Amino acid sequence: YSIQGEKHKEFEIALQDGFNNFIDIKAERVGGSGKTDVECKYILMDRMFAVEAKATKNKFGALQTRRLKEHRDGINGMYTILITPKYTPAVARDIEGENIVILRPAILAEYLYNHLYIYEELKYEELHNIIINNKGKDISRIISSITLERFSILAA
């Protein structure tokens, strides 16, 4: 399915709500021309980061890293988290060397769900450190591995 109009707005709101599950993040859906979809403030560091929502019927194939940088610079952001379920190899190449990571929405949802089910408070530090150490990459497998390793025994 393609996420446009109201569906895209719902996706952005879901991301805002998801990031607000971290006790040390203040996320706000902003959207609109020239702005990032969701602005997040990492309270511990008093720094901002951008969350961009991209979802289409087919694989997401065209990334304008310059525009993402403008959105990030507009909030003095540390980095951009690109949330997209499917993308082409060209997108992976486009983010190399950039302050951008890719994270699949299902992996983020699984991470949040499992942590929130077990712990009362969820801190952002782990995710932040993964992003800092993996800029220009898809961090989905790393996050998924952490979730599986941490919670697979509990499921048994």
Side-chain angles (χ1 to χ4, degrees):
Y1 62 95
S2 178
I3 296 184
Q4 298 296 329
E6 279 304 305
K7 292 287 185 193
H8 189 76
K9 180 180 175 183
E10 289 173 20
F11 187 34
E12 292 172 353
I13 291 168
L15 289 171
Q16 169 193 280
D17 293 347
F19 278 94
N20 277 326
N21 279 301
F22 293 98
I23 63 167
D24 46 3
I25 294 293
K26 173 67 178 121
E28 181 180 358
R29 179 191 170 270
V30 180
S33 180
K35 296 183 178 178
T36 191
D37 295 327
V38 181
E39 293 179 1
C40 295
K41 182 174 187 174
Y42 184 20
I43 297 164
L44 186 70
M45 295 182 71
D46 195 29
R47 293 288 311 272
M48 301 293 289
F49 64 90
V51 176
E52 294 285 346
K54 303 290 181 204
T56 59
K57 184 177 181 181
N58 301 309
K59 286 184 178 179
F60 175 60
L63 183 64
Q64 297 178 358
T65 56
R66 183 176 178 193
R67 190 171 68 205
L68 295 185
K69 184 179 183 328
E70 289 171 1
H71 293 178
R72 187 171 56 251
D73 290 349
I75 62 169
N76 193 26
M78 298 180 281
Y79 46 74
T80 299
I81 304 173
L82 176 63
I83 308 287
T84 185
K86 297 183 283 185
Y87 59 91
T88 64
V91 172
R93 287 192 302 274
D94 289 343
I95 71 164
E96 287 177 6
E98 299 287 335
N99 287 332
I100 301 169
V101 295
I102 294 172
L103 180 55
R104 296 177 191 266
I107 302 298
L108 175 61
E110 181 182 57
Y111 179 86
L112 290 171
Y113 173 81
N114 281 286
H115 282 84
L116 292 169
Y117 183 77
I118 300 297
Y119 305 111
E120 289 183 25
E121 295 183 341
L122 177 59
K123 294 184 180 175
Y124 183 71
E125 181 179 19
E126 179 174 59
L127 208 54
H128 172 74
N129 289 335
I130 290 167
I131 292 165
I132 292 297
N133 292 314
N134 292 280
K135 288 181 183 174
K137 298 177 184 173
D138 183 332
I139 62 169
S140 299
R141 283 196 174 158
I142 298 168
I143 302 299
S144 181
S145 293
I146 288 169
T147 304
L148 286 171
E149 188 176 304
R150 198 168 282 158
F151 300 105
S152 61
I153 295 171
L154 297 174

